[in-house]
Amino acid sequence: MGVPFDKTLCRLEDITDGEGKGFEIELDIFVVRRGETIVGYHNECPHVISPLNWADGSFMTLDRKYILCDTHGAEFQFEDGYCVSGPCMGDRLTPIKVEIRNGDVVLREL
Ligand code: FES
């Protein structure tokens, strides 16, 4: 179980549908959006423990189907962070708990 939080990260509309946004809240984290669904993970690829993105907000594949690690191209499922291709296939991103509350993206647990 992680550390409980109740911190607003941003408004849902600040994140383009199918894209993501990174934050530094004690740790490097990111959230990605699919419609009205939001998920979040530590920004740390299980392959060599490095951040996934090279550019701000760049966390998804071009077709917006998978979360992408820019370093060596690992692809992770949106909903559970499970790696489906790349050098860390079978590993997972570490989840954080986020929710949408009155249009705000709120960090609940780190
Ligand atoms: S660091 Fe992510 S795939 Fe290598």
Side-chain angles (χ1 to χ4, degrees):
M1 190 160 140
V3 178
F5 266 86
D6 190 20
K7 180 171 182 53
T8 299
L9 298 174
C10 64
R11 297 283 298 166
L12 181 63
E13 69 248 25
D14 294 338
I15 306 171
T16 304
D17 194 6
E19 294 183 8
K21 198 171 180 62
F23 302 90
E24 261 194 58
I25 309 288
E26 295 190 14
L27 297 166
D28 202 4
I29 60 172
F30 70 98
V31 297
V32 284
R33 174 183 176 187
R34 185 171 280 167
E36 299 302 304
T37 303
I38 202 104
V39 293
Y41 299 98
H42 290 199
N43 189 4
E44 191 175 86
C45 180
H47 178 216
V48 294
I49 317 297
S50 81
L52 279 80
N53 64 315
W54 287 356
D56 269 2
S58 169
F59 290 98
M60 299 293 286
T61 53
L62 282 180
D63 63 5
R64 298 178 171 178
K65 205 168 166 192
Y66 295 105
I67 295 166
L68 174 70
C69 179
D70 285 336
T71 304
H72 304 114
E75 294 179 327
F76 304 87
Q77 293 181 157
F78 173 88
E79 57 277 5
D80 59 8
Y82 182 79
C83 183
V84 294
S85 77
C88 48
M89 197 155 68
D91 280 343
R92 282 178 196 276
L93 300 172
T94 304
I96 58 173
K97 199 179 280 183
V98 287
E99 67 183 27
I100 300 167
R101 191 192 301 155
N102 301 322
D104 287 332
V105 177
V106 179
L107 174 64
R108 297 290 296 141
E109 195 177 291
L110 193 60

